[in-house]
Amino acid sequence: LPINFLQKYNSHHPYGWNDGPLSFSKGYQFVGSGGVYMRWRNIHLTLRPEFFRTASDSYVTSADWGERTPALSKLTFGQSSLRMDFGPISIGVSNQNLWLGPGQFSSLLMSNNAPGFNHISFGTNRPLKTPIGSFEIKIIGGTLFNNKNQNFENGNLKLTGVYGNTSYEKYLSSISVSYSPLFFKNFYLTANRAFTLPTQEKPSSKLTDYYLIALKPLFRNVYQDNLLPIDQVISGSAKYVFPKEHAEVYFEYGWNDGKSNSRDLMLDMPHSAASIYGLKKIQYLNEKVYLNFEAEATQMSQRPSSLQRNANNWYLHSQILAGYTNDNQILGAGSGLGNDVQTFAISWNKGWNNFGIKFQHIAHDPIGVTNILSSNGSLPYWDDYSYGIQLKQKYSHFLFNLNMEWVNSKNYLWQNNNKVSNVYIFLNTIYLW
């Protein structure tokens, strides 16, 4: 397998996500990986360990955001897996990252923002064709960890976050089902659901009470878990592809809190909701050269209905206080707790090589910390405006992938006229055998 050496640097304060075990911190950090893939009949084995060291430089913090924590150096199984195929069905064990949803820059339920986690999976390895269309399914059960010495991404980078200076394991049960109708080509629908609950030494013998809790009925009034330390996130997405135009449009819409019944869903649909909308377009200049346009908007802040029914920000739960995290990093959209993000990128591509520019706006928790809806006034908005270049160049067996951004922060830490700048560098060097 290719050898990867990924480096990340922030000059002023934490920035950047979707980087696996690397942390949301200031300074220089890296992760290296490599390995082998082997196959014997229907058995697939991938051994791809990772060694990483995170950053721990001091930076300006406040009572609302940020806290310096020690650097980590660790060797893990990384992106390793063992899978056995039975026709179109597979079972396996893995420590790999999973990505659920159509988003290019973010995903509500599962992305590569946090380190990979140990899990068992059951599902399809190719679409199952039926008279009404094609289906794909993936069911997983895994273990999530907390680290009492690291800050929490869902606690505004505070050491104790909303959880406390203790640690315990969590069990994750999730299911993802995708459907492509036979009568509507190039259209894809997906439903994702994930439950987290404390790991139990002697769980219930009823599979849907623990190991397969993600298969519970959709509405909570059937099984009533309000007083139990059980929390869920759920999302649905749609994508339509235009093959002749080399384009696609997509959206993902989800809830951080399960609905009690259909009435609850219809009357207060925005409660605890988040969304991702995006499009992608490729324009060929000739047979070998093309332009790639990408635009995506992610909304994680609370909706106005929170005035009557507070839902907290996404990835926070009242029962599972550590929230939807692994090693204190958010499993889904990693841009920050309660943040709204808009991203636009365009690149020129030829073979392995490309050159692109990227613009990104991040509104830091515009409803939460700012308390903007309060009658007693509010803190100023904290906005980041990022301007970046992206380069990919192949030289002999080496592939260099560089993302360099200048981040201009307005009202940093939600403090009036506090303007700061940060240089963010992300360089992935890949050796291809």
Side-chain angles (χ1 to χ4, degrees):
L1 295 173
I3 297 175
N4 281 50
F5 184 61
L6 191 156
Q7 302 171 83
K8 174 181 174 180
Y9 173 76
N10 279 297
S11 67
H12 185 271
H13 61 267
Y15 182 85
W17 56 95
N18 291 349
D19 46 30
L22 300 185
S23 66
F24 214 59
S25 51
K26 178 194 171 185
Y28 172 79
Q29 51 189 314
F30 68 88
V31 56
S33 66
V36 295
Y37 165 78
M38 294 173 280
R39 177 182 176 183
W40 182 70
R41 295 185 179 179
N42 64 332
I43 300 175
H44 305 258
L45 175 63
T46 299
L47 295 175
R48 191 178 181 85
E50 292 177 335
F51 176 78
F52 65 90
R53 179 175 175 80
T54 62
S56 182
D57 288 1
S58 178
Y59 61 97
V60 179
T61 64
S62 71
D64 295 313
W65 192 87
E67 190 163 353
R68 184 184 182 186
T69 51
L72 293 175
S73 295
K74 195 173 182 180
L75 177 65
T76 70
F77 281 108
Q79 304 300 308
S80 300
S81 67
L82 174 62
R83 191 186 87 217
M84 183 176 293
D85 296 338
F86 301 92
I89 304 298
S90 297
I91 59 172
V93 294
S94 174
N95 195 65
Q96 293 174 312
N97 285 104
L98 304 173
W99 189 289
L100 300 177
Q104 304 290 324
F105 300 97
S106 290
S107 171
L108 294 183
L109 260 67
M110 200 75 70
S111 71
N112 60 342
N113 179 66
F117 58 95
N118 299 329
H119 62 271
I120 300 173
S121 64
F122 170 84
T124 55
N125 53 57
R126 60 178 183 267
L128 291 176
K129 295 182 179 180
T130 73
I132 60 172
S134 299
F135 289 86
E136 295 179 77
I137 185 171
K138 192 173 190 69
I139 299 173
I140 71 169
T143 303
L144 307 175
F145 294 94
N146 302 318
N147 189 329
K148 65 181 180 181
N149 297 316
Q150 296 294 302
N151 51 28
F152 284 81
E153 287 188 357
N154 67 335
N156 281 335
L157 301 185
K158 290 298 182 181
L159 182 63
T160 55
V162 294
Y163 174 64
N165 193 22
T166 56
S167 62
Y168 66 80
E169 296 178 6
K170 295 169 291 183
Y171 177 72
L172 172 72
S173 173
S174 81
I175 181 172
S176 177
V177 180
S178 297
Y179 170 55
S180 178
L182 184 66
F183 51 85
F184 196 178
K185 291 184 178 180
N186 308 316
F187 185 58
Y188 304 88
L189 293 170
T190 302
N192 304 309
R193 192 186 196 191
F195 278 81
T196 51
L197 64 162
T199 300
Q200 300 175 11
E201 293 185 2
K202 296 181 179 180
S204 170
S205 58
K206 186 177 180 181
L207 293 179
T208 54
D209 282 345
Y210 185 74
Y211 291 109
L212 298 178
I213 194 171
L215 301 182
K216 284 277 192 183
L218 181 61
F219 296 121
R220 268 206 323 261
N221 62 352
V222 178
Y223 55 90
Q224 290 296 334
D225 70 347
N226 292 327
L227 300 178
L228 299 175
I230 299 172
D231 287 305
Q232 70 168 308
V233 284
I234 188 170
S235 78
S237 66
K239 179 174 74 172
Y240 186 75
V241 178
F242 303 85
K244 292 183 180 180
E245 289 75 22
H246 309 290
E248 64 180 46
V249 293
Y250 58 86
F251 78 88
E252 184 178 14
Y253 196 90
W255 294 272
N256 195 46
D257 185 22
K259 299 298 182 180
S260 296
N261 48 45
S262 57
R263 181 178 181 272
D264 184 18
L265 175 64
M266 297 302 295
L267 293 181
D268 196 5
M269 184 172 291
H271 173 70
S272 75
S275 59
I276 296 176
Y277 298 88
L279 60 89
K280 183 175 182 178
K281 163 71 175 173
I282 291 176
Q283 180 63 51
Y284 278 91
L285 303 179
N286 56 49
E287 291 183 356
K288 296 183 178 181
V289 180
Y290 63 90
L291 297 177
N292 184 25
F293 301 87
E294 294 176 289
E296 185 173 291
T298 301
Q299 180 174 356
M300 306 295 294
S301 62
Q302 286 209 63
R303 309 302 168 99
S305 67
S306 62
L307 283 170
Q308 295 180 316
R309 187 183 179 192
N310 184 37
N312 289 320
N313 282 325
W314 259 68
Y315 312 122
L316 284 180
H317 289 107
S318 58
Q319 299 293 340
I320 303 295
L321 296 180
Y324 190 64
T325 62
N326 182 43
D327 279 348
N328 305 15
Q329 298 189 48
I330 293 172
L331 288 171
S335 58
L337 181 66
N339 290 0
D340 295 337
V341 185
Q342 299 85 42
T343 305
F344 174 78
I346 179 173
S347 63
W348 176 93
N349 300 262
K350 182 179 180 180
W352 291 91
N353 305 322
N354 73 27
F355 171 78
I357 58 175
K358 176 183 174 184
F359 170 76
Q360 193 159 251
H361 167 246
I362 304 176
H364 286 261
D365 202 2
I367 301 297
V369 173
T370 61
N371 201 23
I372 194 66
L373 300 177
S374 171
S375 60
N376 298 323
S378 63
L379 297 175
Y381 286 122
W382 170 11
D383 292 287
D384 285 347
Y385 299 92
S386 171
Y387 311 88
I389 59 172
Q390 298 174 311
L391 297 171
K392 184 183 291 184
Q393 182 72 39
K394 187 175 185 295
Y395 178 76
S396 185
H397 289 277
F398 289 93
L399 179 64
F400 301 95
N401 193 349
L402 172 68
N403 179 22
M404 185 165 58
E405 301 178 26
W406 177 66
V407 185
N408 181 23
S409 297
K410 180 182 178 182
N411 300 325
Y412 175 63
L413 302 177
W414 300 282
Q415 296 174 359
N416 257 326
N417 299 318
N418 188 11
K419 297 181 180 180
V420 301
S421 297
N422 179 59
V423 175
Y424 166 73
I425 300 174
F426 182 93
L427 174 62
N428 191 13
T429 303
I430 304 171
Y431 180 81
L432 305 168
W433 299 98

